[in-house]
Amino acid sequence: MIFPEIHSDRFILRCLDPLKDYFNYLTWLTNPKDYPFIESAKTNYSSEELVNYLTDINNSMNAIQFGIFTKDSGIHIGNIKFHEINASKFSAFVGFLIGDKNWQGRGVALEVFGSASKFLRDELGVDTFYLGVSKKNFPALKSYLKMGFKESQNKMGLVNSDSIF
């Protein structure tokens, strides 16, 4: 699904253009030693594979991926993806990739999740969010708990995102 831009204080979230916005993303995905917790990171992605993936996401009826771009310089620093969007259960899974190391640990996920989840609630009625995270990814766990997610055995969940606004 393609939606209009979403603005937060420091960032613009917009659906990625498969032919223009893949370069930084491809760099993050093809450096698995630098991003050990990105399950899809591997060394042999081609630009064609990523372009096809982004095209599929943009055409999907149950997934939305926004690139995170800085307002001041327009640099693509990461992505937030909502997938397995279930309109009847008002739920979705969310995933974050803050690929630009200069922006890691600076509250990006909290800020963009606030804006993007509000948008999903307003547009699609989604008010329950889940995510998967490695128990070894301590910085991410800390960030997700700060956002209001609660731990369970195999995923984290946030019900009624109003609690973070």
Side-chain angles (χ1 to χ4, degrees):
M1 290 186 264
I2 298 193
F3 285 98
E5 290 182 351
I6 300 169
H7 292 253
S8 70
D9 290 341
R10 299 179 291 169
F11 307 106
I12 297 171
L13 309 177
R14 65 173 172 77
C15 293
L16 293 167
D17 181 324
L19 298 176
K20 295 180 183 174
D21 295 324
Y22 71 88
F23 183 76
N24 284 350
Y25 194 3
L26 185 62
T27 301
W28 304 325
L29 291 178
T30 56
N31 288 296
K33 66 182 181 302
D34 292 338
Y35 304 97
F37 298 111
I38 300 174
E39 287 192 30
S40 58
K42 60 182 186 175
T43 57
N44 60 351
Y45 268 110
S46 70
S47 56
E48 181 180 343
E49 286 175 305
L50 187 54
V51 166
N52 289 338
Y53 166 78
L54 292 172
T55 300
D56 289 346
I57 290 293
N58 286 346
N59 291 327
S60 174
M61 295 305 292
N62 69 347
I64 305 166
Q65 182 161 316
F66 294 105
I68 304 166
F69 296 84
T70 59
K71 275 188 174 177
D72 60 354
S73 61
I75 295 172
H76 180 203
I77 64 161
N79 302 321
I80 181 171
K81 178 183 173 187
F82 297 93
H83 57 103
E84 298 179 49
I85 299 170
N86 187 323
S88 64
K89 293 184 179 180
F90 307 106
S91 66
F93 278 80
V94 62
F96 301 90
L97 168 58
I98 310 304
D100 187 321
K101 290 188 179 284
N102 295 319
W103 283 94
Q104 292 174 352
R106 296 182 57 191
V108 175
L110 177 63
E111 183 176 331
V112 300
F113 181 69
S115 298
S117 63
K118 180 181 183 316
F119 177 83
L120 259 70
R121 186 185 63 228
D122 293 348
E123 294 295 317
L124 303 175
V126 175
D127 66 359
T128 302
F129 299 90
Y130 301 101
L131 58 83
V133 61
S134 168
K135 299 278 188 201
K136 296 177 184 175
N137 191 347
F138 299 115
L141 282 168
K142 183 178 174 184
S143 177
Y144 300 146
L145 291 170
K146 186 184 280 188
M147 288 179 186
F149 283 88
K150 306 290 183 224
E151 288 187 76
S152 69
Q153 280 192 338
N154 56 8
K155 63 184 172 186
M156 295 182 80
L158 174 65
V159 177
N160 188 358
S161 61
D162 288 335
S163 64
I164 67 163
F165 300 111

